[in-house]
Amino acid sequence: MIKTKSYAAQSPNENLAPWTFERREVGSHDVQFDILYCGVCHSDLHQVNNDWFPGIFPMVPGHEIVGRVVRVGDHVKKFKVGDLAGTGCMVDSCQECENCKKDLEQYCLEGNTQTYNGLERDGKTPTYGGYSNTIVVREEFVLHVSEKLDLAAVSPLLCAGITTYSPLRHWKVGKGHKLAVLGLGGLGHMGVKFGVAFGAEVTVLSTSPKKEEDAKRLGAHHFVVTSDEAQVKAALGTFDFILDTVSAEHDFNMYLSLLRTDGTMICVGVPPKPAEIAAFSLLGGRKSIAGSGIGGIAETQEMLDFCAEHNIVSDIELIDIKDIQTAYQRMEKGDVRYRFVIDMATL
Ligand code: NAP
Ligand code: ZN
């Protein structure tokens, strides 16, 4: 077994603190890589707080993981010692169902194995995430990371990146479309970058007037403060797509009114409570509401390659792991610019 250092929550809502546990030995199809950076996703905070469902504790969060390969099993073909590597929100799936065969492992009909707060395929061994010094993952779920980009700023691509890239690709958002990105946080700022790269006219819908300058720097063409009635009124019925990245309760009906006829609101944010949606908000204008979860492994590699080619990374604040609680508090208040990334050398 591989002794692993980490930061873990021992029970729900508890502060994270140092914890040592054991990872499995490197199997013949496994890759072990030492973690250099791990992004901090709002999902980490939701899960430590049991916002969605009762979690598995102790919990080591973290699913935006990058580092360098230190060992590979004898059957591993895609990686060698010294390569850069990354892992996102899943570390396994059944690999046999209809969805897995279509490169949609995130929608595995037997359920994918989440990187943390999940169970291995044996149904009993808990998984532990990236707030740790090393990880063992089967080869198929390890991604190649370019040596060209700033590695710390690449880590958020493994969740925030793919979660926004995948729906924009699926709905073919691009030239001629008006895209609104709702919420300018970790996911939102990547949604802006991809929306702009794909040629859409991008508007940020935000509760934080202070973020306007940043939104424009990120490439957004317009900025709407959602508490400003006049600005919201001017945006009524104008968007083809709204990419909703909000982590907290919000009024879906109000945002649906900003879609034009046949527009689609794509939910990627996961507030703790279900939303109330009036049928009237949809039928007046034949509007749709849809959802999207992360992305498959092949598409995640495609996104990483696209980012390397187009020089796209996340805007980050690099933090010491001891400051994780402060980062969580700031994230809770919407005060992220635009992703915290843990420098794992500080573990
Ligand atoms: P984040 O960095 O904290 O950003 C969320 C943003 O939402 C905030 O910065 C804020 O932006 C806005 N916001 C917060 N509270 C709000 C409220 N009450 N009303 C309106 N806007 C509000 O979070 P994240 O890491 O991007 O994650 C966002 C959500 O996506 C989380 O729920 C997370 O669990 C979920 N997620 C889903 C997937 C998936 O597969 N679908 C993957 C990863 C994460 P402004 O300051 O601009 O208003
Ligand atoms: Zn995430």
Short mmCIF file of all heavy atoms in Angstrom, two decimals, residues 40-43 46 52 63 89 159-160 163 182-188 204-208 211 226 245-250 255 267-271 292-294 331-332 334-336 338-339, ligand 1:
data_model
loop_
_atom_site.label_atom_id
_atom_site.label_comp_id
_atom_site.label_asym_id
_atom_site.label_seq_id
_atom_site.Cartn_x
_atom_site.Cartn_y
_atom_site.Cartn_z
N VAL A 40 -9.65 24.03 -6.55
CA VAL A 40 -10.68 23.97 -5.52
C VAL A 40 -12.02 24.30 -6.17
O VAL A 40 -12.24 25.43 -6.60
CB VAL A 40 -10.38 24.98 -4.39
CG1 VAL A 40 -11.48 24.95 -3.33
CG2 VAL A 40 -9.01 24.68 -3.76
N CYS A 41 -12.88 23.28 -6.28
CA CYS A 41 -14.17 23.43 -6.95
C CYS A 41 -15.26 23.67 -5.91
O CYS A 41 -15.16 23.16 -4.78
CB CYS A 41 -14.46 22.14 -7.73
SG CYS A 41 -16.03 22.15 -8.63
N HIS A 42 -16.31 24.40 -6.30
CA HIS A 42 -17.40 24.60 -5.34
C HIS A 42 -18.02 23.26 -4.93
O HIS A 42 -18.58 23.14 -3.85
CB HIS A 42 -18.46 25.56 -5.90
CG HIS A 42 -19.22 26.30 -4.84
ND1 HIS A 42 -19.15 27.66 -4.65
CD2 HIS A 42 -20.04 25.84 -3.86
CE1 HIS A 42 -19.91 28.01 -3.62
NE2 HIS A 42 -20.46 26.92 -3.13
N SER A 43 -17.89 22.25 -5.81
CA SER A 43 -18.41 20.92 -5.46
C SER A 43 -17.70 20.36 -4.23
O SER A 43 -18.29 19.58 -3.47
CB SER A 43 -18.21 19.95 -6.62
OG SER A 43 -18.77 20.47 -7.79
N HIS A 46 -19.59 21.89 -1.39
CA HIS A 46 -20.92 21.27 -1.29
C HIS A 46 -20.82 19.90 -0.61
O HIS A 46 -21.63 19.54 0.23
CB HIS A 46 -21.51 21.00 -2.69
CG HIS A 46 -22.05 22.20 -3.43
ND1 HIS A 46 -22.97 23.07 -2.90
CD2 HIS A 46 -21.82 22.63 -4.70
CE1 HIS A 46 -23.27 23.99 -3.81
NE2 HIS A 46 -22.59 23.75 -4.91
N TRP A 52 -25.59 17.90 -0.88
CA TRP A 52 -26.34 17.14 -1.89
C TRP A 52 -26.87 15.81 -1.35
O TRP A 52 -27.98 15.41 -1.64
CB TRP A 52 -25.46 16.84 -3.11
CG TRP A 52 -24.98 18.04 -3.87
CD1 TRP A 52 -25.58 19.26 -3.96
CD2 TRP A 52 -23.79 18.12 -4.66
NE1 TRP A 52 -24.85 20.09 -4.76
CE2 TRP A 52 -23.74 19.41 -5.21
CE3 TRP A 52 -22.76 17.22 -4.97
CZ2 TRP A 52 -22.71 19.84 -6.04
CZ3 TRP A 52 -21.75 17.64 -5.80
CH2 TRP A 52 -21.72 18.94 -6.33
N HIS A 63 -10.84 17.34 -7.29
CA HIS A 63 -10.95 16.62 -8.55
C HIS A 63 -10.46 17.44 -9.75
O HIS A 63 -10.95 17.28 -10.86
CB HIS A 63 -12.36 16.05 -8.75
CG HIS A 63 -13.46 17.07 -8.74
ND1 HIS A 63 -14.74 16.78 -8.36
CD2 HIS A 63 -13.46 18.38 -9.07
CE1 HIS A 63 -15.49 17.86 -8.48
NE2 HIS A 63 -14.75 18.84 -8.91
N CYS A 89 -12.98 14.49 -12.47
CA CYS A 89 -14.00 14.09 -11.48
C CYS A 89 -14.25 12.60 -11.39
O CYS A 89 -14.90 12.14 -10.47
CB CYS A 89 -15.32 14.78 -11.82
SG CYS A 89 -15.19 16.55 -11.81
N CYS A 159 -11.99 20.08 -14.25
CA CYS A 159 -13.43 20.07 -13.92
C CYS A 159 -14.10 21.32 -14.48
O CYS A 159 -14.95 21.23 -15.35
CB CYS A 159 -13.69 19.95 -12.42
SG CYS A 159 -15.44 20.14 -12.05
N ALA A 160 -13.70 22.51 -14.01
CA ALA A 160 -14.35 23.74 -14.49
C ALA A 160 -14.25 23.84 -16.01
O ALA A 160 -15.20 24.27 -16.68
CB ALA A 160 -13.71 24.96 -13.83
N THR A 163 -16.48 20.94 -17.80
CA THR A 163 -17.91 21.10 -17.49
C THR A 163 -18.55 22.23 -18.30
O THR A 163 -19.76 22.22 -18.54
CB THR A 163 -18.10 21.35 -15.97
OG1 THR A 163 -17.51 20.27 -15.27
CG2 THR A 163 -19.56 21.46 -15.59
N LEU A 182 -24.10 32.70 -16.64
CA LEU A 182 -24.68 33.15 -15.37
C LEU A 182 -23.78 32.73 -14.21
O LEU A 182 -23.59 31.54 -13.97
CB LEU A 182 -26.09 32.53 -15.24
CG LEU A 182 -26.86 32.72 -13.94
CD1 LEU A 182 -26.94 34.19 -13.54
CD2 LEU A 182 -28.28 32.15 -14.10
N GLY A 183 -23.21 33.72 -13.51
CA GLY A 183 -22.29 33.46 -12.39
C GLY A 183 -20.86 33.46 -12.88
O GLY A 183 -20.48 32.64 -13.70
N LEU A 184 -20.07 34.44 -12.39
CA LEU A 184 -18.67 34.49 -12.83
C LEU A 184 -17.76 33.97 -11.71
O LEU A 184 -17.17 34.72 -10.96
CB LEU A 184 -18.27 35.92 -13.24
CG LEU A 184 -16.97 36.03 -14.03
CD1 LEU A 184 -17.05 35.29 -15.35
CD2 LEU A 184 -16.58 37.49 -14.26
N GLY A 185 -17.72 32.64 -11.63
CA GLY A 185 -16.81 31.98 -10.69
C GLY A 185 -15.89 31.06 -11.47
O GLY A 185 -15.53 31.36 -12.61
N GLY A 186 -15.55 29.93 -10.86
CA GLY A 186 -14.62 28.99 -11.51
C GLY A 186 -15.16 28.47 -12.83
O GLY A 186 -14.50 28.54 -13.87
N LEU A 187 -16.38 27.93 -12.83
CA LEU A 187 -16.98 27.43 -14.07
C LEU A 187 -17.28 28.59 -15.02
O LEU A 187 -16.98 28.53 -16.22
CB LEU A 187 -18.28 26.65 -13.78
CG LEU A 187 -18.14 25.13 -13.58
CD1 LEU A 187 -17.16 24.79 -12.49
CD2 LEU A 187 -19.49 24.49 -13.31
N GLY A 188 -17.88 29.64 -14.46
CA GLY A 188 -18.32 30.77 -15.28
C GLY A 188 -17.19 31.39 -16.09
O GLY A 188 -17.35 31.65 -17.29
N VAL A 204 -21.94 38.30 -19.53
CA VAL A 204 -21.88 37.75 -18.17
C VAL A 204 -23.06 38.31 -17.38
O VAL A 204 -23.30 39.52 -17.38
CB VAL A 204 -20.54 38.09 -17.49
CG1 VAL A 204 -20.60 37.77 -15.99
CG2 VAL A 204 -19.40 37.33 -18.15
N LEU A 205 -23.80 37.41 -16.73
CA LEU A 205 -24.88 37.82 -15.81
C LEU A 205 -24.34 37.58 -14.41
O LEU A 205 -24.05 36.44 -14.04
CB LEU A 205 -26.13 36.96 -16.03
CG LEU A 205 -26.70 36.88 -17.44
CD1 LEU A 205 -27.84 35.87 -17.50
CD2 LEU A 205 -27.19 38.26 -17.88
N SER A 206 -24.20 38.64 -13.63
CA SER A 206 -23.50 38.51 -12.35
C SER A 206 -24.20 39.28 -11.24
O SER A 206 -24.84 40.30 -11.48
CB SER A 206 -22.07 39.04 -12.53
OG SER A 206 -21.37 39.03 -11.33
N THR A 207 -24.02 38.79 -10.02
CA THR A 207 -24.51 39.53 -8.85
C THR A 207 -23.44 40.49 -8.34
O THR A 207 -23.69 41.23 -7.39
CB THR A 207 -24.87 38.56 -7.69
OG1 THR A 207 -23.69 37.82 -7.32
CG2 THR A 207 -25.97 37.59 -8.07
N SER A 208 -22.25 40.44 -8.94
CA SER A 208 -21.11 41.21 -8.42
C SER A 208 -20.65 42.29 -9.39
O SER A 208 -19.85 42.02 -10.30
CB SER A 208 -19.92 40.26 -8.16
OG SER A 208 -20.30 39.16 -7.40
N LYS A 211 -17.06 42.65 -10.69
CA LYS A 211 -16.40 41.73 -11.62
C LYS A 211 -16.45 42.18 -13.09
O LYS A 211 -15.95 41.49 -13.96
CB LYS A 211 -17.01 40.32 -11.48
CG LYS A 211 -16.71 39.66 -10.13
CD LYS A 211 -17.28 38.23 -10.05
CE LYS A 211 -17.02 37.58 -8.70
NZ LYS A 211 -17.74 36.29 -8.55
N THR A 226 -27.27 41.57 -12.23
CA THR A 226 -28.62 41.00 -12.17
C THR A 226 -29.52 41.66 -11.11
O THR A 226 -30.72 41.43 -11.09
CB THR A 226 -28.57 39.48 -11.95
OG1 THR A 226 -27.71 39.21 -10.85
CG2 THR A 226 -28.05 38.77 -13.18
N THR A 245 -24.19 28.61 -14.05
CA THR A 245 -23.13 28.02 -13.21
C THR A 245 -23.33 28.33 -11.73
O THR A 245 -22.40 28.17 -10.93
CB THR A 245 -21.73 28.51 -13.64
OG1 THR A 245 -21.54 29.86 -13.17
CG2 THR A 245 -21.54 28.47 -15.15
N VAL A 246 -24.52 28.79 -11.36
CA VAL A 246 -24.72 29.27 -9.99
C VAL A 246 -24.80 28.11 -8.98
O VAL A 246 -25.49 27.13 -9.20
CB VAL A 246 -25.97 30.17 -9.91
CG1 VAL A 246 -26.29 30.57 -8.48
CG2 VAL A 246 -25.77 31.40 -10.78
N SER A 247 -24.10 28.30 -7.87
CA SER A 247 -23.98 27.24 -6.85
C SER A 247 -25.05 27.35 -5.76
O SER A 247 -25.20 26.44 -4.95
CB SER A 247 -22.60 27.36 -6.19
OG SER A 247 -22.41 28.71 -5.76
N ALA A 248 -25.79 28.48 -5.73
CA ALA A 248 -26.75 28.72 -4.65
C ALA A 248 -28.16 28.87 -5.24
O ALA A 248 -28.33 28.98 -6.45
CB ALA A 248 -26.37 29.97 -3.89
N GLU A 249 -29.15 28.89 -4.35
CA GLU A 249 -30.54 29.06 -4.79
C GLU A 249 -30.68 30.35 -5.61
O GLU A 249 -30.10 31.38 -5.25
CB GLU A 249 -31.41 29.23 -3.54
CG GLU A 249 -32.44 28.16 -3.36
CD GLU A 249 -33.20 28.37 -2.07
OE1 GLU A 249 -32.58 28.32 -0.99
OE2 GLU A 249 -34.41 28.59 -2.16
N HIS A 250 -31.44 30.29 -6.69
CA HIS A 250 -31.70 31.50 -7.49
C HIS A 250 -32.99 31.31 -8.26
O HIS A 250 -33.50 30.20 -8.37
CB HIS A 250 -30.50 31.81 -8.40
CG HIS A 250 -30.08 30.70 -9.31
ND1 HIS A 250 -29.48 29.55 -8.85
CD2 HIS A 250 -30.18 30.53 -10.66
CE1 HIS A 250 -29.22 28.74 -9.86
NE2 HIS A 250 -29.65 29.31 -10.98
N TYR A 255 -34.44 34.20 -14.88
CA TYR A 255 -33.40 34.02 -15.90
C TYR A 255 -33.97 33.45 -17.21
O TYR A 255 -33.54 33.83 -18.29
CB TYR A 255 -32.25 33.16 -15.36
CG TYR A 255 -31.52 33.85 -14.22
CD1 TYR A 255 -31.59 33.38 -12.92
CD2 TYR A 255 -30.79 35.01 -14.47
CE1 TYR A 255 -30.94 34.04 -11.88
CE2 TYR A 255 -30.14 35.68 -13.44
CZ TYR A 255 -30.21 35.19 -12.15
OH TYR A 255 -29.58 35.85 -11.14
N CYS A 267 -28.15 23.98 -17.35
CA CYS A 267 -27.77 24.01 -15.93
C CYS A 267 -26.51 23.17 -15.72
O CYS A 267 -26.51 21.98 -16.02
CB CYS A 267 -28.87 23.42 -15.06
SG CYS A 267 -30.42 24.27 -15.25
N VAL A 268 -25.48 23.80 -15.21
CA VAL A 268 -24.31 23.04 -14.75
C VAL A 268 -24.09 23.27 -13.25
O VAL A 268 -23.53 22.40 -12.58
CB VAL A 268 -23.02 23.33 -15.57
CG1 VAL A 268 -23.14 22.74 -16.96
CG2 VAL A 268 -22.70 24.80 -15.63
N GLY A 269 -24.55 24.39 -12.74
CA GLY A 269 -24.48 24.63 -11.29
C GLY A 269 -25.44 23.69 -10.57
O GLY A 269 -26.46 23.31 -11.13
N VAL A 270 -25.10 23.33 -9.35
CA VAL A 270 -25.93 22.37 -8.60
C VAL A 270 -26.26 22.94 -7.21
O VAL A 270 -25.64 22.58 -6.21
CB VAL A 270 -25.21 21.01 -8.43
CG1 VAL A 270 -26.18 19.96 -7.89
CG2 VAL A 270 -24.58 20.53 -9.73
N PRO A 271 -27.27 23.83 -7.15
CA PRO A 271 -27.64 24.37 -5.84
C PRO A 271 -28.17 23.24 -4.94
O PRO A 271 -28.72 22.26 -5.44
CB PRO A 271 -28.78 25.35 -6.16
CG PRO A 271 -28.69 25.61 -7.63
CD PRO A 271 -28.08 24.38 -8.23
N SER A 292 -26.08 19.40 -17.85
CA SER A 292 -24.90 18.73 -18.41
C SER A 292 -23.92 18.45 -17.28
O SER A 292 -23.71 19.29 -16.41
CB SER A 292 -24.26 19.63 -19.47
OG SER A 292 -23.16 19.00 -20.08
N GLY A 293 -23.36 17.24 -17.28
CA GLY A 293 -22.40 16.85 -16.24
C GLY A 293 -21.02 16.64 -16.83
O GLY A 293 -20.86 15.96 -17.86
N ILE A 294 -20.05 17.24 -16.26
CA ILE A 294 -18.62 17.20 -16.67
C ILE A 294 -18.47 16.86 -18.17
O ILE A 294 -19.07 17.53 -19.01
CB ILE A 294 -17.76 16.31 -15.73
CG1 ILE A 294 -18.38 14.94 -15.47
CG2 ILE A 294 -17.54 17.05 -14.43
CD1 ILE A 294 -17.47 13.95 -14.72
N MET A 331 -15.15 31.55 -1.32
CA MET A 331 -15.94 30.97 -2.40
C MET A 331 -17.43 31.05 -2.07
O MET A 331 -18.27 31.33 -2.93
CB MET A 331 -15.51 29.52 -2.61
CG MET A 331 -15.91 28.95 -3.92
SD MET A 331 -14.86 27.57 -4.42
CE MET A 331 -15.17 26.43 -3.11
N GLU A 332 -17.75 30.81 -0.82
CA GLU A 332 -19.13 30.88 -0.34
C GLU A 332 -19.73 32.26 -0.61
O GLU A 332 -20.92 32.39 -0.91
CB GLU A 332 -19.14 30.62 1.17
CG GLU A 332 -20.47 30.28 1.77
CD GLU A 332 -20.71 28.78 1.80
OE1 GLU A 332 -20.16 28.10 2.67
OE2 GLU A 332 -21.45 28.33 0.92
N GLY A 334 -18.89 34.19 -3.10
CA GLY A 334 -18.74 34.57 -4.52
C GLY A 334 -17.46 35.33 -4.79
O GLY A 334 -17.26 35.89 -5.86
N ASP A 335 -16.55 35.35 -3.81
CA ASP A 335 -15.31 36.10 -3.93
C ASP A 335 -14.18 35.20 -4.44
O ASP A 335 -13.25 34.89 -3.72
CB ASP A 335 -14.97 36.71 -2.55
CG ASP A 335 -13.68 37.49 -2.56
OD1 ASP A 335 -13.23 37.89 -3.66
OD2 ASP A 335 -13.10 37.69 -1.47
N VAL A 336 -14.30 34.78 -5.71
CA VAL A 336 -13.22 33.98 -6.32
C VAL A 336 -12.75 34.69 -7.57
O VAL A 336 -13.54 35.24 -8.31
CB VAL A 336 -13.68 32.55 -6.71
CG1 VAL A 336 -13.96 31.71 -5.50
CG2 VAL A 336 -14.89 32.57 -7.62
N TYR A 338 -10.13 33.41 -10.42
CA TYR A 338 -11.46 32.88 -10.55
C TYR A 338 -11.47 31.41 -10.17
O TYR A 338 -12.49 30.77 -10.27
CB TYR A 338 -12.00 33.20 -11.95
CG TYR A 338 -12.49 34.66 -11.93
CD1 TYR A 338 -11.63 35.71 -12.17
CD2 TYR A 338 -13.80 34.95 -11.57
CE1 TYR A 338 -12.07 37.03 -12.07
CE2 TYR A 338 -14.24 36.26 -11.48
CZ TYR A 338 -13.37 37.29 -11.72
OH TYR A 338 -13.80 38.59 -11.60
N ARG A 339 -10.31 30.94 -9.71
CA ARG A 339 -10.22 29.60 -9.16
C ARG A 339 -9.08 29.56 -8.15
O ARG A 339 -7.97 30.02 -8.47
CB ARG A 339 -9.91 28.59 -10.28
CG ARG A 339 -10.20 27.14 -9.94
CD ARG A 339 -11.60 26.91 -9.53
NE ARG A 339 -12.19 25.67 -10.02
CZ ARG A 339 -13.48 25.41 -9.85
NH1 ARG A 339 -14.28 26.26 -9.22
NH2 ARG A 339 -13.98 24.27 -10.29
P1 NAP B 1 -17.91 29.29 -7.75
O1 NAP B 1 -16.52 29.47 -8.26
O2 NAP B 1 -18.18 29.50 -6.32
O3 NAP B 1 -18.86 30.22 -8.66
C1 NAP B 1 -20.24 30.31 -8.50
C2 NAP B 1 -20.69 31.71 -8.87
O4 NAP B 1 -22.10 31.76 -8.81
C3 NAP B 1 -20.24 32.79 -7.91
O5 NAP B 1 -18.93 33.25 -8.14
C4 NAP B 1 -21.27 33.88 -8.16
O6 NAP B 1 -20.92 34.63 -9.31
C5 NAP B 1 -22.52 33.09 -8.49
N1 NAP B 1 -23.45 33.03 -7.35
C6 NAP B 1 -23.20 32.58 -6.11
N2 NAP B 1 -24.30 32.66 -5.35
C7 NAP B 1 -25.27 33.18 -6.13
C8 NAP B 1 -26.64 33.49 -5.95
N3 NAP B 1 -27.24 33.31 -4.76
N4 NAP B 1 -27.36 33.99 -7.00
C9 NAP B 1 -26.76 34.19 -8.18
N5 NAP B 1 -25.45 33.93 -8.42
C10 NAP B 1 -24.74 33.43 -7.41
O7 NAP B 1 -18.42 27.82 -8.07
P2 NAP B 1 -17.95 26.81 -9.23
O8 NAP B 1 -16.82 25.99 -8.74
O9 NAP B 1 -17.85 27.55 -10.50
O10 NAP B 1 -19.20 25.82 -9.26
C11 NAP B 1 -20.48 26.30 -9.62
C12 NAP B 1 -21.54 25.23 -9.45
O11 NAP B 1 -21.33 24.20 -10.43
C13 NAP B 1 -21.48 24.49 -8.10
O12 NAP B 1 -22.80 24.24 -7.67
C14 NAP B 1 -20.76 23.21 -8.43
O13 NAP B 1 -21.05 22.17 -7.54
C15 NAP B 1 -21.32 22.92 -9.80
N6 NAP B 1 -20.52 22.01 -10.62
C16 NAP B 1 -21.20 21.21 -11.50
C17 NAP B 1 -20.51 20.36 -12.34
C18 NAP B 1 -21.25 19.55 -13.35
O14 NAP B 1 -20.74 18.50 -13.77
N7 NAP B 1 -22.41 19.98 -13.80
C19 NAP B 1 -19.11 20.31 -12.29
C20 NAP B 1 -18.46 21.15 -11.40
C21 NAP B 1 -19.16 22.01 -10.59
P3 NAP B 1 -21.24 36.23 -9.42
O15 NAP B 1 -20.40 36.84 -8.34
O16 NAP B 1 -20.80 36.55 -10.80
O17 NAP B 1 -22.71 36.40 -9.22
#
